[in-house]
Amino acid sequence: MNSRIVESAQTTIHAHLTELVQKHAQTTYLRPIAEFSATTFKHFERLFAASKKERLIIDSGCGVGESTAVLAEQFPDAFVVGFDRSEHRTNKHYYRQETSNYAVLRAEVEDMWRLLLSAPYSKIIDFHALYYPNPYPKPRHIMRRWHGHPLLLPMLNLAPKTEVRTNWRIYAEEFAFAASTLGFSAEMQDISTIKPMTAFERKYQASGHTLFQVMVVKSSEGADS
């Protein structure tokens, strides 16, 4: 089944992105943690302790968890946790192999980011993946994109490396621009020929989409929280 190319009236980086990024970096996100997210976090803590691993990898918006399982295979010395807000998607996780180094859990990713930053886990997260988030291509929806979200800076501070993959060039350009605005190193490249990690990536690749990766690296000094 072919997937349509992302279409938008927006042809360049959003005119208000710099203003949004700077404003959000100076404000505190006050939305209460969802009860089900708090319950999920306690469950994650038990699973992580049982895994006996000392390093963490985060897969945000993991969907059915295929990318989570692939990351767990790539990084056997770490515990990989995938979070997604959809119970329907997380319940469809079809790997289910007997392995102790990953989990696919339902939670609001924004809640998990804040809980991880306020816990000792923030010091042991090696890598953060965000694969194919909804691009929200309408210009008025800029704040629904992760780089327009109030939690962009805390999210980027979670790990020394953050990887975003998308099939919309403007999304990749905006994310790299926003990260650079906050003092992070950000590199964007075409990854159209890589081995797919998710069903979305396979579908986009089969449909002839250009796929983009943005790799964000935190400086040794770190950005301001």
Side-chain angles (χ1 to χ4, degrees), residues 145-188:
R145 304 171 198 168
W146 284 133
H147 42 271
H149 193 279
L151 283 178
L152 174 65
L153 180 55
M155 179 258 281
L156 291 177
N157 273 324
L158 266 177
K161 292 184 178 180
T162 302
E163 181 187 13
V164 175
R165 295 186 184 186
T166 179
N167 63 326
W168 188 29
R169 174 182 286 276
I170 290 175
Y171 194 101
E173 291 175 342
E174 286 187 341
F175 197 96
F177 176 82
S180 298
T181 298
L182 292 172
F184 295 82
S185 171
E187 292 189 5
M188 170 181 157

Side-chain angles (χ1 to χ4, degrees), residues 120-136:
Y121 307 108
S122 63
K123 304 298 182 184
I124 60 172
I125 300 173
D126 287 336
F127 179 69
H128 186 193
L130 296 104
Y131 295 144
Y132 300 93
N134 190 327
Y136 291 105

Side-chain angles (χ1 to χ4, degrees), residues 33-50:
I33 301 291
E35 185 176 348
F36 82 94
S37 293
T39 300
T40 295
F41 190 75
K42 291 179 181 177
H43 182 46
F44 150 73
E45 290 187 300
R46 291 192 293 269
L47 292 172
F48 179 63

Side-chain angles (χ1 to χ4, degrees), residues 201-213:
E201 202 159 49
R202 280 192 296 276
K203 181 172 67 172
Y204 297 149
Q205 199 175 66
S207 300
H209 294 202
T210 303
L211 308 180
F212 301 96
Q213 175 202 63

Side-chain angles (χ1 to χ4, degrees), residues 69-85:
V70 173
L71 287 167
E73 293 172 1
Q74 292 178 351
F75 300 96
D77 293 333
F79 185 77
V80 184
V81 59
F83 297 118
D84 197 279
R85 70 183 301 179

